[in-house]
Amino acid sequence: MQPFGELPVIQDGDFILYESRAIMRYYAEKYRSQGTELLGKTIEERGLVEQWLEVEAHNYNPAIYELTIQLLFSSKFGRPVDEKLVKESDEKLGKTLDVYEERLSKSKYLAGDFFSLADLSHIPFTHYLVGPMGRQHMIRDRKHVSAWWDDISNRPSWKKVLELCKTPFG
Ligand SMILES: N[C@@H](CCC(=O)N[C@@H](CS)C(=O)NCC(=O)O)C(=O)O
């Protein structure tokens, strides 16, 4: 189902789709008329949602993904932690979060004053960051990022995900 041998991949009827961010966009479009509008109401809002989805993919994710691999998975697979990579990733993520702090001092959410797919895409890895990775300070030391995290991680839909999905790290 996934030619690169990776997860996630979904099958919706006969339709198969891989790449997590393509899957998110697909479901957000498919169920657009139900629940929260996640993609923005105007073409400008949509542009900003897409912009911050790309920021998540290219600025936020590489550093937080590396930290997750090093701090949570290396020991599970009996591999040594690459401390240099951890230091570099901490610095890179910190700089990215400084940009977020500035942005979130001007709008409640990333794409504007509305919750969107761009905020949602940050939740799973940030959940690991503030939980099992023990890096709450990276969020809590930044006032606006901290308020944003409290808001998006307390949404009933995410609480439901946590109830339904038990991960190796809780
Ligand atoms: N760009 C892909 C990355 C997918 C990815 O890295 N998947 C990992 C798990 S998070 C995987 O399946 N790796 C294969 C393996 O570890 O054998 C996406 O966002 O869907």
Side-chain angles (χ1 to χ4, degrees):
M1 289 172 79
Q2 214 282 14
F4 301 101
E6 294 181 333
L7 290 169
V9 54
I10 59 113
Q11 181 163 12
D12 189 11
D14 291 337
F15 181 64
I16 290 175
L17 191 67
Y18 56 84
E19 278 298 328
S20 54
R21 292 166 189 83
I23 294 168
M24 283 193 308
R25 286 168 163 104
Y26 169 76
Y27 279 125
E29 287 283 6
K30 179 164 180 175
Y31 296 107
R32 198 162 185 173
S33 60
Q34 296 177 29
T36 305
E37 168 59 80
L38 292 171
L39 295 167
K41 290 191 173 73
T42 63
I43 191 167
E44 289 81 11
E45 285 183 0
R46 178 62 183 263
L48 288 168
V49 171
E50 290 295 335
Q51 173 186 284
W52 283 99
L53 278 166
E54 293 298 311
V55 170
E56 186 280 328
H58 301 292
N59 298 81
Y60 195 79
N61 186 262
I64 202 167
Y65 182 84
E66 204 52 72
L67 286 172
T68 307
I69 295 294
Q70 293 300 321
L71 300 174
L72 298 186
F73 286 94
S74 285
S75 57
K76 275 205 178 297
F77 294 114
R79 288 199 299 255
V81 172
D82 184 335
E83 298 293 351
K84 183 169 172 280
L85 201 47
V86 169
K87 187 168 180 292
E88 285 169 6
S89 302
D90 270 334
E91 283 169 10
K92 192 171 173 203
L93 186 61
K95 281 184 185 159
T96 300
L97 282 168
D98 287 341
V99 176
Y100 280 46
E101 178 65 4
E102 168 69 15
R103 169 61 182 169
L104 293 166
S105 72
K106 301 202 170 82
S107 61
K108 190 168 179 204
Y109 299 101
L110 290 171
D113 288 323
F114 59 100
F115 177 77
S116 77
L117 199 60
D119 305 293
L120 196 155
S121 69
H122 289 76
I123 298 179
F125 274 100
T126 310
H127 173 74
Y128 283 157
L129 186 79
V130 302
M133 277 195 258
R135 273 162 166 70
Q136 303 89 322
H137 61 277
M138 298 190 82
I139 301 298
R140 296 298 169 213
D141 288 353
R142 294 170 174 90
K143 188 175 126 193
H144 297 95
V145 172
S146 183
W148 169 73
W149 174 247
D150 283 340
D151 184 312
I152 65 174
S153 62
N154 278 302
R155 291 179 68 83
S157 53
W158 177 245
K159 299 224 162 172
K160 199 165 177 182
V161 170
L162 292 178
E163 271 168 38
L164 292 172
C165 305
K166 280 278 159 248
T167 74
F169 309 106

